[in-house]
Amino acid sequence: MTSTGGWLPTREIELVAGTPAGGGQDRPARALISILEQQRLVGQPLRLNNIPGKGGGNGWDYLRQHAGNPHILAINSPTIITNKQLGVADFDHAALTPLANLYTEYIAFVVRADSPIRSGADFMARLGADTAGCRIALATAIGNINHMALARVTAHAGGDVKALQINVFDSALYAVADVIEHRAEVAAITAVSAVKAISAGQVRAFAVSAPQRLPRLYAEVPTWTELGVDCVIGTWRGVIGTAGLTAPQIAYWDGALRAATATAEWNAALAEKYWANTYLDGTELRAFLDRERGVMGTLLRGLGLLP
């Protein structure tokens, strides 16, 4: 059990994931709870609470209703910034207490196994000739990182980013199913979300937004950079607390999260799920999020999405 700064939790810890079971926020929540329990880093029971909707926004709305409560945490992701910029929410990370960034996961572009789109070049040719004619599935919100990656590729192809036809889902697993079921041609989703369908031969990946090739199932899949496209962009996931946490409470969670992410079990989970270790503590994270606010605003403006 971690004890830092004189504060210890006194009751059950609730970890909120703003996606359904199996979704992008659910996976890190389950991995983190497992390690905190296995390593006995928190001397209280932990409970996962899935509150999907609004690209994770319903989860953060719930967090905001419990200001000053150190026993409720949530998984954090880029839509906490873009939801406010898009008018979906009236607050962003500054209204809560960022505690740690855990990792970054990159975007895979996948099609059905029998799709005529065989490569990134094929996809760009399609986007350039008829942007609106190629329906794309993604999760978890318009204007999120997946959408931004798609926009960069579309712009490079000479397509109209504002003409993109997109099906949006609360979980990337649903976006993959949308492709398999012939409702969308391409899915732009986190790499781990396509693993099951790739392994089953239902879909194949033709590009990733990572800075270098991903291992194993993606070892033969080129990066957009290799294909001549400036598209290195990923979805970071972290942990955020309620507003008004005290210094000892923040110090406690800093210690617990730092210890959890230093374990061999956590690093094995990173490798298994194609997650890149981009750990930041709360102080570093707040500065990072403030910078991201400006970067994302610029990208959303290019998409024509800002109110």
Side-chain angles (χ1 to χ4, degrees):
M1 180 171 59
T2 300
S3 178
T4 306
W7 180 84
L8 291 171
T10 57
R11 56 184 185 273
E12 179 185 68
I13 304 302
E14 182 178 354
L15 182 57
V16 176
T19 57
Q25 292 184 23
D26 177 80
R27 287 190 294 267
R30 290 178 189 272
L32 189 59
I33 286 173
S34 175
I35 289 167
L36 289 170
E37 289 178 337
Q38 289 173 15
Q39 301 294 322
R40 301 178 185 271
L41 293 171
V42 177
Q44 297 293 336
L46 293 105
R47 175 170 64 90
L48 174 60
N49 183 7
N50 294 89
I51 309 178
K54 295 200 304 186
N58 286 342
W60 301 315
D61 287 348
Y62 175 80
L63 202 65
R64 198 183 188 196
Q65 294 164 13
H66 294 83
N69 187 339
H71 297 89
I72 304 177
L73 310 175
I75 298 298
N76 198 27
S77 68
T79 44
I80 199 166
I81 294 173
T82 57
N83 273 358
K84 181 178 181 183
Q85 293 175 326
L86 293 168
V88 175
D90 62 358
F91 68 97
D92 62 13
H93 62 279
L96 299 170
T97 306
L99 295 169
N101 196 64
L102 300 174
Y103 62 83
T104 299
E105 52 185 330
Y106 295 100
I107 310 306
F109 288 70
V110 305
V111 291
R112 288 184 305 279
D114 62 353
S115 171
I117 297 173
R118 305 297 305 177
S119 66
D122 288 345
F123 182 49
M124 287 191 286
R126 180 71 188 279
L127 290 173
D130 181 16
T131 306
C134 186
R135 184 163 289 276
I136 317 292
L138 57 79
T140 54
I142 288 292
N144 73 348
I145 293 296
N146 309 49
H147 193 182
M148 292 176 185
L150 175 61
R152 287 188 176 184
V153 174
T154 304
H156 183 91
D160 179 3
V161 297
K162 298 177 184 178
L164 286 164
Q165 299 297 303
I166 297 173
N167 297 342
V168 183
F169 299 92
D170 284 339
S171 169
L173 299 180
Y174 304 150
V176 174
D178 204 49
V179 169
I180 294 170
E181 294 162 7
H182 291 257
R183 286 190 289 270
E185 288 191 62
V186 178
I189 38 82
T190 52
V192 68
S193 301
V195 164
K196 184 177 179 180
I198 291 173
S199 298
Q202 295 171 301
V203 303
R204 53 184 167 75
F206 60 83
V208 294
S209 70
Q212 59 271 325
R213 291 196 184 193
L214 299 175
R216 301 189 307 282
L217 282 179
Y218 290 97
E220 302 303 317
V221 179
T223 67
W224 280 117
T225 301
E226 289 179 74
L227 298 172
V229 183
D230 180 14
C231 183
V232 177
I233 187 170
T235 297
W236 37 263
R237 312 279 189 195
V239 178
I240 194 163
T242 64
L245 296 188
T246 66
Q249 290 164 348
I250 293 171
Y252 174 86
W253 284 118
D254 177 70
L257 295 170
R258 191 184 297 274
T261 56
T263 62
E265 292 81 1
W266 177 258
N267 283 282
L270 293 181
E272 176 193 356
K273 295 177 171 64
Y274 300 92
W275 296 344
N277 184 355
T278 53
Y279 186 86
L280 299 171
D281 66 21
T283 300
E284 296 167 323
L285 178 57
R286 281 185 285 275
F288 168 77
L289 294 176
D290 289 343
R291 292 194 300 271
E292 283 287 276
R293 185 192 284 136
V295 170
M296 291 180 183
T298 299
L299 292 172
L300 290 176
R301 191 167 293 109
L303 283 168
L305 292 176
L306 290 187

